[in-house]
Structures are given as C-alpha cells and as structure tokens.
Amino acid sequence: MANRWINQLTERDVTEEAAYLNRRQIIGGAAAGLALMAQGAGAQEALTPSEWEDITQYNNYYEFGTDKGDPARYAGALTTAPWTLRIDGLVDRPGDYAFEDIMKAMTIEERIYRLRCVEAWSMVVPWNGFELADLLNMAGVQSGATYVAFETAYRPEEMPGLRFPVLDWPYVEGLRLDEAMHPLTIMATGIYGRDIPNQNGAPLRLVVPWKYGFKSIKSVVRVTLTDSQPPTSWNKAGPREYGFYSNVNPEVSHPRWSQADERPIGGGLFARRQPTLMFNGYAEEVAGLYEGMDLTANF
Ligand code: MTE
C-alpha cells in the first residue's frame, strides 16, 4: 500500500478516559454534569471495575434498546467469542473468517483520532485496530467493486431492541471503496488499550474519523464488496437528515441543528465551544476523495 497512516495527535490531545466514558452524562444534562464537576479530580482517577460499569451506561446501540442505559444493561448478553466475519461479494477469497484468525493476520496499531458525534460534541480517543484496507486486501478486492457494505449481528435472542422497529434491522452501513481503502479508516478492536466493551461495538467496529459517529457500525458480522451504493440504516430512517456520506462538514447543517461548532469533551461542562473543522480536521488527507462533488447534495 502506498501511504500509511501518520498520527498527528499526541498524548496531550487525548480526551481523559473517564470523560470519554462519561460523555453522555456530561452532555446529557446540567444536573449530571454538575455532579461530575463536583466530583472534580475524582472523576479522572484510575477506574475501578465498578466505575467502569457505572460509566459505560450511556450509549447508542439500538439493537439493545433506544434508552441510553439499555446497551450497558443488555449488551453483556452478546456472545462475542467465537465471532465470525463473513466477507463476500466481489472478492477473490470470500468466506467466513474467524475473528482470532483475522487478529493474527492484521497489524494492530493504536490510532489517536478526533471523533465527532452528530450531536455536536467531540473527543480524541485512542483506538486499537487495523486498517480496513488490510482486511479487504486479505480477501482480495475484485476490479468491479466500488462500494463496501457492512452489517451488524442480528440476534433477537441476545438483542432485545430488535423487537422494536425503530430501524430496519439488521443495522447496515456503507462506504465508497476509496473511502474504505483510505489509511485513516480502521476496524477497531480496542479502546484505551482494552477490548472494546460490548456496548461500544465488540468485538469489531468501524471507525471513520472524518465522518459522524453513526457511521461507526458496531459488532460487524459481514462485509460485502459491491458495485452499487449500499443502503445505510440512518439514511433509510431519515433520508433528509442523514445522507450516505455523513462527512463532518461545518458548512452543512443538520435540518434540526447547526453543525458549525462543537464542545470538546473533557474540558468540563462549560468548556468553550470550538469551530468544527472540515472533514473533522482531516481535510488534507481526505478532501481529494470528494473533489468536484457538491457536498450540500451529497451530505
Ligand atoms: N451500530 C449499531 N449496530 N447500532 C447502533 O445503534 N449507533 C451508531 C453507531 N453505531 C449504532 C451503531 C451511533 S448513532 C453512534 S453515535 C455510535 O455508534 C455511538 O458509538 P459509542 O456508543 O461507542 O460512542
């Protein structure tokens, strides 16, 4: 591969682990935020297992329910080992790949990325993972492939949220092939040096740092190379609000809120908002992918 990833963020940029895990309490309401602030430095001390339980209770993982506490409550039931990833479609070596075999074949790296949620907060998180390109190359991408489709596990017996038709199950996502092959795009298997908790998408979750968080499909069981743009869950649910690309773009507002600025998580409840950067600060690396495209129409 021509260009490998270069880290431009350092230890000093990293959002405090406790703040990352507490972010939804921090932004979820003044009361919760103030309680956290009252804790002061206590919130940033080394985590005990019970704190870890406490602070991973606010997540978006609708297969476990739409309440922020549901994923933490129910995701423990998700069997993440053994785990099999099916890679199919326009590849030379389609098949069911065991997670451990993938882990043996891939080069695991730590990636420190800014990550933005569509709800206008941002953080810098150290992920452990491998380049999606390496996985796709392992399967051998055929010349006719132009898109990659992703699918989350569909397990009604383990995922109580699947009973509710809030999204068209299974959860699906997609990338254009050049986006998928970009060295910034990773499959994450760890966070802050630990395995990803189930509620955050164990054992394998997509991270595309120049796109909004909902593109980060969790607990991926299938990757399909295709020659047409695949459907994506949030676009199907709200086509006016969520486009296929979902690139971080301060110039294109969500119909219900501005996306021009963000609150850095970890700076406290009253941290000054900062302007959101085009492509989440990765314009130099990825703007070329969209040259000549109308990003207002392709949001
Ligand atoms: N993946 C699946 N399978 N199901 C989901 O509901 N939610 C998405 C994304 N991936 C979601 C998902 C949304 S809306 C966001 S903001 C991020 O996961 C949240 O990831 P986090 O809880 O690790 O921050």
Side-chain angles (χ1 to χ4, degrees):
M1 262 198 10
N3 53 340
R4 301 293 298 192
W5 171 79
I6 298 162
N7 181 22
Q8 279 150 352
L9 294 166
T10 70
E11 189 68 22
R12 289 183 53 224
D13 297 309
V14 172
T15 301
E16 204 74 44
E17 183 176 13
Y20 166 73
L21 295 163
N22 272 302
R23 65 200 185 273
R24 290 189 179 88
Q25 279 105 318
I26 292 169
I27 61 176
L34 287 169
L36 246 186
M37 282 178 64
Q39 263 179 276
Q44 322 210 331
E45 278 162 17
L47 301 168
T48 66
S50 78
E51 279 169 323
W52 178 265
E53 292 281 312
D54 260 9
I55 61 191
T56 49
Q57 61 184 324
Y58 281 71
N59 290 94
N60 276 346
Y61 196 165
Y62 280 13
E63 287 87 334
F64 295 99
T66 53
D67 187 281
K68 298 293 185 202
D70 284 340
R73 209 169 293 132
Y74 300 119
L78 183 69
T79 310
T80 57
W83 193 266
T84 306
L85 179 68
R86 172 164 298 177
I87 308 182
D88 62 2
L90 301 171
V91 289
D92 294 332
R93 291 172 288 282
D96 291 335
Y97 291 84
F99 181 69
E100 309 84 73
D101 294 340
I102 293 173
M103 291 298 273
K104 274 182 227 146
M106 296 293 121
T107 308
I108 306 291
E109 295 170 25
E110 185 184 73
R111 302 300 189 89
I112 299 171
Y113 287 150
R114 291 184 199 86
L115 204 69
R116 273 185 41 73
C117 196
V118 74
E119 291 128 34
W121 44 269
S122 66
M123 60 205 174
V124 175
V125 165
W127 299 97
N128 301 91
F130 50 83
E131 293 189 10
L132 176 59
D134 289 346
L135 183 76
L136 299 182
N137 288 333
M138 181 183 78
V141 178
Q142 295 182 347
S143 60
T146 45
Y147 289 90
V148 186
F150 302 85
E151 196 176 301
T152 292
Y154 177 82
R155 302 210 191 130
E157 67 290 357
E158 294 185 351
M159 297 170 148
L162 294 177
R163 281 191 308 239
F164 308 102
V166 283
L167 291 172
D168 189 9
W169 311 114
Y171 195 101
V172 290
E173 257 305 335
L175 294 173
R176 225 170 50 193
L177 183 63
D178 56 350
E179 299 177 317
M181 297 299 276
H182 194 282
L184 285 175
T185 303
I186 62 166
M187 296 301 293
T189 56
I191 194 162
Y192 288 95
R194 317 176 188 208
D195 289 344
I196 298 187
N198 284 6
Q199 56 266 43
N200 295 80
L204 198 57
R205 164 224 175 114
L206 182 68
V207 177
V208 193
W210 70 95
K211 294 177 184 281
Y212 291 112
F214 61 88
K215 293 295 277 188
S216 306
I217 183 171
K218 296 177 171 181
S219 310
V220 174
V221 290
R222 188 174 181 188
V223 173
T224 306
L225 278 291
T226 148
D227 59 2
S228 57
Q229 186 177 297
T232 71
S233 284
W234 285 101
N235 178 250
K236 283 196 283 183
R240 255 174 35 80
E241 306 199 3
Y242 307 103
F244 175 79
Y245 285 94
S246 309
N247 292 323
V248 172
N249 186 344
E251 289 154 27
V252 177
S253 289
H254 184 278
R256 288 183 280 134
W257 54 75
S258 160
Q259 301 192 137
D261 59 23
E262 66 201 47
R263 189 211 313 272
I265 299 299
L269 180 61
F270 304 108
R272 186 129 16 109
R273 300 184 73 86
Q274 63 188 31
T276 291
L277 300 173
M278 190 63 197
F279 297 116
N280 203 22
Y282 299 98
E284 208 175 299
E285 290 87 354
V286 302
L289 297 174
Y290 309 102
E291 234 161 53
M293 280 177 69
D294 175 359
L295 297 182
T296 311
N298 296 287
F299 57 93

